[in-house]
Amino acid sequence: MEEQLDTVPEPAEGRGAGLDRRAELSEFLRTRRARLKPEDVGLPDFGRHRRVPGLRREELAQLAGVSVAYYTRLEQGNGRNVSAEVLDSIARALRLSDAEHAHLTHLAKPKQHRKRAAGRTQQVRGALRQLLDTMDGVPAYVVGRRSDILAWNRMAAALFGDWSELPERERNWARLVFLRPDYRDLFTHWEQKASDVVGYLRLDAGCHPDDPRLSALVGELSVKSEDFRRLWARHDVKEKAYGVKLLRHPLVGELTLSFETFRMVDDGEQSLVTYHAEPGSPSADALRLLASWGADAKTSAPSV
């Protein structure tokens, strides 16, 4: 199952003007290997004799069924000729999640059309905007590439702040979470929210390493936020799906809200995200209160 990997460096145009895909591949594999302990995969632990965190390269290669030299070249970023079967074996050995497996594939076997897609303007369909407006009492928004917030309804503005007051480039979850103190106060578990946002950006970067706008965003946040630098260096990836968020709203106090993510069939880079409270709960009453305040709630929501 092992092929000969091409060790000739990629031409500069293959890397584009964004993030260095080969460096991303190398660091991702290294960090995934470092988080596994020998006992996690049924190998003996030699304790103090181990000089590296996590599994050694030879141990990972053995688990994946490839030679040490082959895996070493792959971890050094030389993965242009690697097959899907080998990537599957390495993903199993590293115990990658579905999102991590997809990220590994994107880094090792990038598709040629992504450079054109990177510069495409994100547009939200009119019917989808109408749907947002009809969702009374349900905070909802559409998020696109780079965690850009593309459209939202009145309840989302009441809950998160009126994004229409921001310049378009600032309507971005990464910038809001890492650069605005009021959003740090809004999310009860801010660290988890921040980690999630970075995970989404990492997944996006794997799909579009040649996106100069994404590279610029990562560069800006790396300069301005120590927390972002720390989380970005972990190379964690995550697909936005569903879960629960705890919020501290300045008007209605504590909120426990479930969120759901619906990926658009006609544009897989856009998702509709909705929030709702358990019926009859204090959080449901708080959402109804926000809805009744309408414009007053928007103007009194977290300053943006």
Side-chain angles (χ1 to χ4, degrees), residues 151-199:
W152 59 94
N153 64 5
R154 182 176 64 93
M155 278 301 297
L159 182 63
F160 296 112
D162 192 353
W163 293 318
S164 66
E165 297 177 356
L166 289 174
E168 184 175 346
R169 72 182 298 272
E170 299 299 324
R171 301 170 192 167
N172 175 278
W173 269 118
R175 285 194 172 96
L176 293 174
V177 167
F178 287 100
L179 302 183
R180 304 194 72 92
D182 42 355
Y183 279 84
R184 188 181 290 263
D185 295 334
L186 178 62
F187 290 96
T188 303
H189 300 299
W190 179 89
E191 178 78 14
Q192 183 59 57
K193 175 63 176 179
S195 177
D196 290 346
V197 169
V198 171

Side-chain angles (χ1 to χ4, degrees), residues 6-26:
D6 188 353
T7 59
V8 178
E10 292 184 32
E13 59 269 21
R15 295 192 298 268
L19 301 173
D20 186 337
R21 184 189 60 77
R22 292 181 60 180
E24 293 292 308
L25 173 60
S26 176

